[in-house]
Amino acid sequence: MNECYYDKRMDFFYNKTNTDTVDEWTGPKLIVVLCFGTFFCLFIFISNSLVIAAVVKNKRFHFPFYYLLANLAAADFFAGIAYVFLMFNTGPVSKTLTVNRWFLRQGLLDTSLTASLVNLLVIAVERHMSIMRMKIHSNLTKKRVTFLIISIWAIAIFMGAVPTLGWNCLCDITACSSLAPIYSRSYLVFWSILNLVVFFIMVVVYIRIYMYVQRKTNVLSSHTSGSISRRRTPVKLMKTVMTLLGAFVVCWTPGLVVLLLDGLNCTYCGIQNVKRWFLLLALLNSVMNPIIYSYKDDEMWGTMKRMICCSSEDKSQDRRSSRIPSTVLCRSTDTSGHYIEDGIIQGTICGKGDLGDKENS
């Protein structure tokens, strides 16, 4: 019967697997990694909080697609928490960790990856449901969307806890990997292949959906007289999702390939020399997503910008509303394409003008 080492500290497992954690994480390299990591994490927290707040505040975003997009931002926010925990428990500190604390460190990273991956899968299903009916948004109810979001996090937490639940090498030291000294190599092979296969499936599905949308849009544009912007909206949403998926695949694939090589016990691949940089590349994905949201969606960027400058804009709007007649204000909001968020203000200012227009028509 194999002996188990639950009470050992991580230095025991690092020494057994000949993994060096000191030389790589000291000096200028450590300072550069910590500086970049701190800046990126701060940006992740602020930007993804703005995305979530924008979806909550703007009533035009109260649809399943944007709820799932906000959940993807929440997964990125969670990834920021995981990276902060990693920064304070890595390098020379790694050898002083207990087994449970090390499991928590890696489990947070695995949970954030799974949450983002499953969320993108659910978005693919939602886009398929709406696009097959040539609608901008699907008919998913808020209860179903809430159930999907809860399910996403339940799956993510479970997958992050799998090694802690028993798929580890604490009772079989010979099966331990070098990058993750208490993870079994068989688990790393399973984990990396599973994610890479899901990446490939999602890329194929999204490409097929995008081609279908493009073809249908071209057909409808030649037979209908609807507005150009309305016909292009499904295509714009698909471009946003495909950009998110592309960034996710590019940022996470190198790290998963390294884990796969480690699981296959590739001793001559030099994986220890690149693991730190591939981890930063994975961190970069959570930085890129809010930029993609705002760049690809003008409404999202406008809402985020209004929230950032809310105090100064509120004061200027109050001054303008006290000087401009209500009819002029209503016309200006209609022609500029902007709208008032507060339904009460909108009803009191523009209600009479709308009723007059209906009677005249």
Side-chain angles (χ1 to χ4, degrees):
M1 183 176 179
N2 294 333
E3 183 180 359
C4 297
Y5 302 93
Y6 294 104
D7 57 341
K8 298 291 184 179
R9 289 193 174 270
M10 287 306 300
D11 58 343
F12 173 81
F13 298 98
Y14 279 111
N15 293 333
K16 285 289 184 179
T17 55
N18 297 320
T19 302
D20 192 3
T21 61
V22 178
D23 295 337
E24 296 180 356
W25 294 89
T26 56
K29 288 184 177 179
L30 176 61
I31 295 175
V32 171
V33 170
L34 290 179
C35 289
F36 273 98
T38 302
F39 173 77
F40 285 159
C41 287
L42 287 174
F43 182 83
I44 287 171
F45 292 144
I46 296 172
S47 58
N48 285 287
S49 297
L50 283 173
V51 172
I52 297 172
V55 173
V56 173
K57 180 180 180 181
N58 194 330
K59 293 182 179 179
R60 289 193 178 185
F61 296 150
H62 291 184
F63 293 98
F65 172 78
Y66 287 103
Y67 290 144
L68 294 173
L69 209 63
N71 192 51
L72 185 60
D76 289 328
F77 189 96
F78 183 85
I81 296 175
Y83 290 124
V84 169
F85 190 84
L86 175 66
M87 285 193 298
F88 285 99
N89 294 275
T90 193
V93 181
S94 297
K95 289 190 173 184
T96 65
L97 299 178
T98 62
V99 168
N100 290 332
R101 193 171 182 84
W102 196 94
F103 273 136
L104 176 62
R105 190 190 80 172
Q106 298 304 122
L108 290 174
L109 293 173
D110 295 344
T111 300
S112 65
L113 168 61
T114 306
S116 298
L117 182 62
V118 178
N119 206 94
L120 285 171
L121 274 174
V122 174
I123 290 176
V125 174
E126 190 275 339
R127 287 292 84 202
H128 185 271
M129 290 174 59
S130 59
I131 285 167
M132 290 301 107
R133 298 177 175 87
M134 286 310 295
K135 294 182 178 180
I136 298 175
H137 299 289
S138 64
N139 294 325
L140 287 174
T141 62
K142 288 186 178 181
K143 288 184 178 179
R144 290 184 179 180
V145 174
T146 303
F147 173 77
L148 288 173
I149 291 174
I150 294 174
S151 300
I152 288 170
W153 286 103
I155 294 171
I157 293 171
F158 173 77
M159 293 302 297
V162 166
T164 309
L165 297 175
W167 200 345
N168 54 59
C169 62
L170 294 177
C171 299
D172 186 9
I173 297 297
T174 59
C176 291
S177 66
S178 61
L179 291 180
I182 55 177
Y183 276 15
S184 298
R185 287 194 298 271
S186 59
Y187 173 74
L188 291 186
V189 172
F190 162 78
W191 173 255
S192 54
I193 289 180
L194 174 64
N195 285 283
L196 290 172
V197 169
V198 174
F199 284 2
F200 177 77
I201 293 174
M202 281 201 302
V203 170
V204 172
V205 169
Y206 274 112
I207 290 176
R208 287 178 61 88
I209 293 177
Y210 179 75
M211 292 175 63
Y212 177 84
V213 172
Q214 194 73 42
R215 186 171 63 252
K216 280 289 186 179
T217 303
N218 293 334
V219 172
L220 290 175
S221 61
S222 60
H223 292 86
T224 61
S225 58
S227 65
I228 297 176
S229 60
R230 182 172 180 82
R231 292 198 302 266
R232 290 179 178 175
T233 300
V235 180
K236 289 177 65 177
L237 291 179
M238 279 306 303
K239 286 182 178 180
T240 300
V241 176
M242 290 188 68
T243 305
L244 291 172
L245 177 62
F248 187 80
V249 171
V250 169
C251 291
W252 280 97
T253 298
L256 290 173
V257 171
V258 166
L259 288 177
L260 178 61
L261 294 175
D262 186 29
L264 296 175
N265 201 21
C266 183
T267 57
Y268 55 86
C269 295
I271 54 179
Q272 293 289 343
N273 299 325
V274 297
K275 64 176 184 179
R276 177 176 58 252
W277 307 112
F278 286 165
L279 182 62
L280 284 176
L281 181 61
L283 171 64
L284 189 62
N285 177 241
S286 298
V287 176
M288 293 172 61
N289 283 345
I291 299 174
I292 295 172
Y293 303 148
S294 58
Y295 178 76
K296 288 289 186 179
D297 195 323
D298 295 335
E299 188 71 31
M300 177 69 74
W301 169 240
T303 305
M304 293 170 66
K305 190 164 58 174
R306 286 195 297 272
M307 287 190 298
I308 295 173
C309 308
C310 60
S311 59
S312 60
E313 287 192 0
D314 287 343
K315 291 180 181 178
S316 62
Q317 286 178 0
D318 291 339
R319 291 172 183 172
R320 286 198 301 267
S321 62
S322 63
R323 294 194 301 264
I324 302 175
S326 60
T327 55
V328 176
L329 181 61
C330 291
R331 291 175 183 174
S332 64
T333 54
D334 290 338
T335 55
S336 62
H338 295 288
Y339 56 96
I340 301 173
E341 299 292 341
D342 192 343
I344 298 175
I345 297 176
Q346 186 177 14
T348 55
I349 295 177
C350 301
K352 295 181 180 179
D354 293 341
L355 290 174
D357 292 340
K358 291 180 179 178
E359 290 177 357
N360 293 333
S361 62

